């Protein structure tokens, strides 16, 4: 099955518009790491893909962490003396410091001030701030709004609850021929922010829709989870299952106009790293590749030393590096149908590569087979050959059972899709045979994977 | 024995002129992959070196291929209505599509047209085209010639035969102290084309003459064979013997004015690759090094995965990349005595390196030996030392039995010839001893060689 | 113990002035590879550090060499007809060819000429020349001085002795918790030359003073020895002890205004090589790194193939590459307090790195530990983190017992000192534990070290 080829038969504009429409539906919800916001979000995704949701009680120990109290909010505002809401949660859910404890008080501006967050450098935008693990309350507002506040008394209300409850996450598992898994992980805890991470959520949902019901080599697991604590909770509850994760991607910030960036896994040269680098190099403009670092999104947890999973992070603009990041500037106009569709295409190409990246054995390893009599070569000699013929020669030459098609694509400089077509054609001609997959569940025997297994074995 | 030193005592101009004279003798013959053309060519070479020729019958299975019918040609032309030969094989043997079936017919230009090959971009040159494995006939002519053809009837004659017969190739074996071999391979199947490959044939012949009768470390095998089918035939008939081939070069296009290009073997870092890179870097201007690819000349067969021999391809201009390639522009004026002699010198330097690339053991490995009292060092201290002294220090420092002289030359940046002289002098001084060669016939125990052996072992 | 932190609490100007003052004291002494000059020099150093001196008799066999006769000199001059000393050892001890045999004669200028050494390119400077192993005599003078010599008769006197005696060297051993050693080696045989090598001698002496009496991980061995023959003598007398040398530096030419240069050990990627490269990259301007070569100072002996010790050479300007080298231009004005102090700081930083370069184990390897509740992380989310937090994440992520702090510093690009502080803090927080050192005296099990041991085992 060639996923990319099939994807390319669809109308990219229609795909992009559908992705953007879905982002628009999800945008108004006030999400957090727990509570009804993420529940409603997952429920809307459940209408599209077979998503299972999980509820983990407050207080549950998850490695070094504890599932926090559940936070819910109905309303919040700052009213001036005239009773006018000068800051209003109903206008924009970013206005509340996420996870604010309830408050109802009247206070002077000077008292209120330490609870106000703004971005002086971008005075029109409301910042996004959180205080998950230290009980606090506050308001986020544009710097201009704050400057307009006159001295005097204000009525402050945060109608929230922070109580024992649950942490909620969603999981969509698509079984393939092998129990070996590809993990796609997105954080689903950010309120009205579009690129971070409605872009990831909508693309991941469409990807799961696209894969659903297909005959696949790998099993696929999509995790739509609160950032950090969600990944930690999932890993704590599924520690043994991580053995089956062979490749993984964290998707975030993939709807804006920036070129692609890929942050490599801790291993640095895992198959997923090489697959993404190959795909972005051949199918996108001027991509950039970042070495692993332990700060970032949930790859931090997947790549912690006890797990060391082959999980990288795919982005367009890098989180933290664009001014709209974590502000009200990251809104529905900051993401674009064309870019969302382009990101979905790149993800499809990556999975297509993983699905088809097999090793083959040339059944005529001594000298070249005579391609001409099989109509796999030009008949008049003396002139050059085309890329298709060249791809066949490369596949034959390197298919000694050791090199994968990705190895061959990398060494030849020919795009994987053409190498993969050449392998298919040579198989049909009886010149090539696929090397059987390793026993399902068994990791490929690379040095890194061995070390990974060994380390886990001792734990 | 220092081959290069001895070579350099000769007159390079005389050598070059002799090479060009021999190319001129061979030039008019209409060679093909079988037939009397290649037989006559090998007979002329036999007058110079102890060449043994082999005849392999049509129909012989050689791996995935079959030795084709033998092709011979006496005459061919296109006559216009006036009886004038407008295209005449007697003027240039490129005019016939090589391996054309016999034809005798009268036809309109429109019927003839699909059988005509030209090069519109170089309208003065006749292309060289072949149809070895699909029975066909045709004429190659300059584009201007074709444009001058008027509509009307033409008499077409190709007086050829395509019948059961033999494939002919030549082999010159020069035994050395070890049965380990160096392979030099040239295709001998091209008709009147000078750079491709009379340059290779003449240089290889001179090289064999030069080596003949000497006391050599390696045995040398020169193969003068039809391209592709000849290499496949030889490999099929000598499969076990390939175990003895430690280093190999395909020589082609080494007579033109271009700088040197070397295409590495499939292994990429074999001793032959490193030897050629070292020699070209130190003894030629601005050489270029190309990674292995499975399209090209007979290195395709030697480097097929079942063999994976350490065989690269030495060229000046790269076949296919210069406009004269496979046209009548590749004639005797396109190759030059000076360049032929220069190529012979480079080949000599490469073999000199292989012959002398031994590992040594420093017999005083603890601290430096006192070179001064052996007159191997300056006596007044305080000033610098020369390259000869420096080479001695390098050889002593790295001769722990592990590093070869080529390793030392590469690491020090000093030309191999100077490193090799230093080793000789230190041996004479009793400071150094050569490490005995591995058992003859045994491959050096590098990872690649092991893999090579292992793979072969399974076949 | 953080050596660098403590060093940085001192006044660098005072340190530099003290170093320069000591160089000034040592400058006038006429040192050579044997004799009273080096004895007096070592005696002056003995007042500052616990230096033990050794006397090795003339004629002692040391590997391929023999300890030479002892040389001493009282006076030397060339007098013109008027009795005026036109060249006078009392003015500058460079005037005598070091190791000159005694001479007392009257001769014509033409007879004298072959015994005169000058530097025409720098006509104001007196060269430094030696003739240790070939008995000879001579004078070194400025080229201008020589040009001023008129034809005629000269009285020549070298009041030296070359007789059986001893070779003298000094050794300062500072025991640490492990018998594994760091070697610091300086040549102490040059007469009035400041950068080469009073800079090395004074910095090494101060370094030993600084380390003396501290609780150290490694033991430190300072060798102040005559160049070449001294290193050979020490190695011959301490061959077994070299097993304990884990890291080493030769110090020379570290007082001038040049930027730092580091010549790597023969191993090329030993911990000392990586440590110096890291320190110079982070703590100096535009350093340059040179590959190992077998010509140079005493790293030649330490890195001879029988020893192959991990010893590199730290310099500012590279010996032989600056015009003042081995001339009277290398005087007290050529070295500077600021640069001497800077070199001492760099040496301290290197030793600080070696002392603290341990491997650690993350005690919560599954996901990140919750740094926030330990006050090791910011509490309000949504904004970036600082370098200190980042360093903690790096140390936690890579501390799987395999990577050292230097590995982590290299991969993260964060200076070692910050990485090391992060590790200390995480240890205090109970999140990290140090991996015990290998058994003292056992070399780290890298490939190179194994090869080193294996080679020695066979000898």
């Amino acid at each position: 099955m060639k996923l990319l080829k099939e994807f390319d038969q669809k109308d990219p504009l229609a795909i992009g518009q559908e992705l953007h429409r879905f982002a628009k539906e999800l945008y108004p919800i006030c999400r957090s790491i727990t509570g009804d916001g993420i529940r409603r979000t997952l429920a809307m995704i459940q209408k599209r893909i077979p998503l299972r949701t999980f509820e983990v009680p407050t207080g549950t120990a998850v490695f070094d962490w504890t599932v926090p109290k559940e936070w819910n909010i109905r309303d919040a505002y700052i009213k001036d003396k005239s009773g006018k809401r000068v800051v209003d949660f109903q206008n924009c859910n970013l206005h509340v410091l996420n996870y604010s404890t309830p408050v109802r008080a009247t206070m002077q501006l000077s008292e209120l001030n330490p609870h106000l967050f703004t971005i002086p450098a971008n005075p029109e935008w409301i910042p996004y701030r959180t205080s998950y693990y230290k009980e606090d309350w506050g308001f986020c507002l544009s710097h201009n709004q704050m400057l307009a506040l006159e001295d005097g008394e204000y009525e402050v209300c945060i109608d929230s609850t922070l109580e024992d409850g649950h942490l909620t996450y969603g999981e969509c598992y698509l079984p393939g021929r092998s129990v070996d898994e590809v993990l796609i992980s997105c954080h689903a805890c950010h309120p009205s922010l579009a690129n971070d991470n409605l872009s990831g959520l909508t693309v991941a949902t469409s990807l799961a829709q696209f894969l659903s019901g297909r005959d696949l080599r790998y099993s696929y697991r999509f995790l739509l989870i609160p950032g950090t604590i969600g990944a930690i909770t999932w890993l704590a509850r599924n520690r043994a299952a991580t053995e089956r994760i062979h490749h993984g991607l964290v998707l975030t910030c993939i709807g804006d106009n920036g070129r692609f960036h890929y942050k490599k896994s801790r291993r640095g040269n895992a198959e997923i790293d090489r697959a993404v680098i190959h795909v972005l190099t051949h199918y996108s403009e001027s991509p950039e590749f970042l070495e692993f670092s332990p700060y970032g999104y949930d790859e931090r947890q997947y790549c912690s030393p006890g797990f060391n999973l082959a999980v990288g992070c795919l982005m367009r603009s890098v989180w933290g590096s664009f001014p709209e990041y974590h502000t009200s500037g990251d809104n529905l106009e900051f993401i674009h149908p064309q870019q969302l569709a382009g990101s979905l295409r790149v993800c499809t190409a990556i999975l297509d590569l993983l699905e088809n990246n097999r090793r083959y054995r040339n059944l005529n390893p001594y000298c070249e087979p005579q391609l001409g009599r099989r109509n796999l070569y030009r008949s008049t000699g003396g002139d050059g050959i085309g890329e298709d013929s060249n791809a066949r020669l490369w596949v034959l030459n390197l298919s000694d059972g050791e090199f994968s098609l990705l190895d061959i694509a990398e060494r030849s400089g020919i795009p994987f899709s053409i190498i993969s077509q050449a392998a298919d054609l040579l198989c049909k001609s009886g010149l090539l045979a696929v090397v059987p997959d390793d026993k399902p569940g068994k990791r490929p025997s690379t040095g890194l994977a061995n070390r990974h297994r060994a380390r886990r074995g001792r734990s």
Side-chain angles (χ1 to χ4, degrees), chain A residues 262-282:
Chain A
Y262 175 67
K263 174 182 159 182
K264 298 179 199 173
S265 75
R266 183 180 185 270
R267 300 186 191 181
N269 198 27
E271 189 175 339
I272 185 68
D273 299 321
R274 294 170 52 208
V276 178
I277 288 168
H278 183 85
V279 163
L280 292 182
T281 300
H282 283 278

Side-chain angles (χ1 to χ4, degrees), chain A residues 64-120:
Chain A
D64 190 53
W65 302 61
T66 306
V67 172
K69 289 179 184 167
E70 182 176 326
W71 184 68
N72 282 292
I73 184 162
R74 279 154 301 276
D75 196 7
Y77 54 81
I78 302 173
K79 275 187 186 163
D80 66 11
K81 276 170 291 186
S82 71
K84 185 187 156 202
R85 290 186 169 205
V86 292
V87 174
D88 187 356
F89 172 78
Q90 303 302 336
N91 290 341
C92 176
N93 57 38
L94 297 179
H95 274 314
V96 167
L97 176 72
N98 204 293
Y99 249 65
S100 277
T101 47
V103 61
R104 242 175 231 283
T106 302
M107 61 182 73
Q108 292 296 316
L109 180 58
S110 58
E111 270 178 283
L112 180 55
N113 258 332
H115 295 274
L116 301 183
F117 297 87
T118 73
I119 317 166

Side-chain angles (χ1 to χ4, degrees), chain A residues 38 42-43 45-46 49-56 168-174 181-186 188 201 208 220-226 230 233-235 237-238 241-242 244-245 302:
Chain A
I38 189 168
L42 296 178
I45 292 171
Q46 248 167 347
I49 57 171
L51 188 77
R52 206 177 144 196
T53 58
F54 296 82
E55 299 277 344
V56 184
T168 313
Y169 67 82
E171 197 174 333
C172 168
Y173 181 73
L174 304 175
E181 286 181 20
V182 179
L183 175 76
I184 307 289
S185 177
C186 298
L201 286 175
Y220 287 81
R221 190 178 302 273
F222 290 79
L223 294 185
L224 310 178
I225 52 179
T233 300
W234 188 85
L235 286 164
R237 291 160 56 98
N238 296 277
T242 61
R244 296 199 294 260
I245 298 172
Y302 302 125

Side-chain angles (χ1 to χ4, degrees), chain A residues 1 38-39 54 66 95 126 133 138-139 146 157 183 188 257 298 316 363 365-366 423:
Chain A
M1 164 132 345
I38 189 168
R39 269 191 206 97
F54 296 82
T66 306
H95 274 314
I126 307 161
Y133 300 103
F139 287 88
M146 191 180 75
C157 165
L183 175 76
N257 279 327
D298 286 332
R316 284 181 177 272
L363 301 175
Y366 295 99

Side-chain angles (χ1 to χ4, degrees), chain A residues 14 42 44 47 55 77 126 130 132 144 153 180 200 247 287 323 352 398 422 437:
Chain A
L42 296 178
M44 285 163 74
K47 292 179 192 161
E55 299 277 344
Y77 54 81
I126 307 161
T130 66
Y132 301 136
N144 287 343
E153 216 172 60
D180 295 343
H247 320 284
D352 185 276
L398 292 181
D437 256 343

Side-chain angles (χ1 to χ4, degrees), chain A residues 257-316:
Chain A
N257 279 327
R259 57 179 160 168
F260 281 102
H261 288 76
Y262 175 67
K263 174 182 159 182
K264 298 179 199 173
S265 75
R266 183 180 185 270
R267 300 186 191 181
N269 198 27
E271 189 175 339
I272 185 68
D273 299 321
R274 294 170 52 208
V276 178
I277 288 168
H278 183 85
V279 163
L280 292 182
T281 300
H282 283 278
Y283 302 96
S284 84
E285 291 282 319
S286 313
E288 290 211 3
F289 305 114
L290 313 172
E291 293 303 320
F292 175 76
S293 65
Y295 186 54
Y297 275 104
D298 286 332
E299 71 277 7
R300 292 162 70 160
Q301 312 310 331
Y302 302 125
C303 297
S304 57
F307 291 112
N308 193 24
L309 297 176
V311 176
C313 180
L314 182 68
M315 301 159 274
R316 284 181 177 272

